Amino acid sequence: MSLKSIIFLIFILSISGYAYADNHFPLLKDSKEQVELGKILYNKNCASCHGNKLEGAKDWQSLDEDGHRKAPPLNGTAHTWHHPDKLLHQIIKLGLPKLVKDYQGKMLGFENKLSDKDINSILAYIKTYWPKEIYQRHIKTSK
């Protein structure tokens, strides 16, 4: 393969990767493989705060002993589904301290631990817990 061909290939791949990064929302829960990966990653990285069944911390609307907000449910019973996929992805990746001025909580980012694909898989898994109506509404919100 010539140098010119390699450069062209790199260019095409970089453009397609860029397009994917900007245009992959809304995230769906249709891929069994993605949802299964999301379940594994959720249990490893998220369940300790948000619960094994995505139920959130006990009395999640109150503050913890350190005066910080507790982890909300992700199962469709709280406000998570009100936010578009792009924002949810940023929250997981960057953490709320980087997104919300004077944030008082413990939701730190996972950008050094989870890839974008991993985060998307976690979000796909979370959506399997949402009632159908909420899931459908969220798809429209995330377009």
Side-chain angles (χ1 to χ4, degrees):
M1 187 178 266
S2 71
L3 180 58
K4 194 174 190 180
S5 297
I6 293 171
I7 291 171
F8 178 74
L9 181 61
I10 291 170
F11 173 75
I12 294 299
L13 291 174
S14 68
I15 289 175
S16 64
Y18 179 77
Y20 173 79
D22 287 341
N23 298 310
H24 66 285
F25 300 119
L27 299 170
L28 305 177
K29 60 180 183 176
D30 298 342
S31 167
K32 290 181 182 181
E33 295 82 12
Q34 184 180 36
V35 168
E36 193 56 39
L37 174 61
K39 179 179 181 179
I40 293 165
L41 293 167
Y42 175 89
N43 286 329
K44 185 176 180 182
N45 297 283
C46 313
S48 62
C49 294
H50 291 280
N52 291 330
K53 296 183 180 173
L54 292 78
E55 72 277 12
K58 185 177 180 185
D59 300 320
W60 69 273
Q61 293 178 313
S62 62
L63 301 178
D64 67 12
E65 60 280 352
D66 297 327
H68 295 117
R69 298 182 189 280
K70 294 181 181 180
L74 303 175
N75 60 9
T77 61
H79 62 275
T80 303
W81 62 273
H82 293 224
H83 306 298
D85 284 330
K86 186 173 183 178
L87 178 59
L88 295 175
H89 186 99
Q90 289 176 324
I91 290 169
I92 296 169
K93 184 173 186 164
L94 303 175
L96 285 169
K98 289 185 179 179
L99 299 171
V100 178
K101 183 179 179 183
D102 301 323
Y103 169 73
Q104 294 295 310
K106 297 180 179 176
M107 180 58 197
L108 305 177
F110 288 85
E111 65 186 319
N112 295 323
K113 191 170 185 180
L114 297 171
S115 70
D116 287 337
K117 179 182 174 185
D118 292 342
I119 293 169
N120 290 345
S121 296
I122 290 170
L123 288 170
Y125 170 68
I126 288 170
K127 291 178 181 193
T128 66
Y129 276 77
W130 295 353
K132 184 178 180 178
E133 312 79 52
I134 287 176
Y135 175 71
Q136 293 297 326
R137 193 176 320 159
H138 188 263
I139 289 172
K140 291 177 185 174
T141 300
S142 293
K143 286 186 177 179

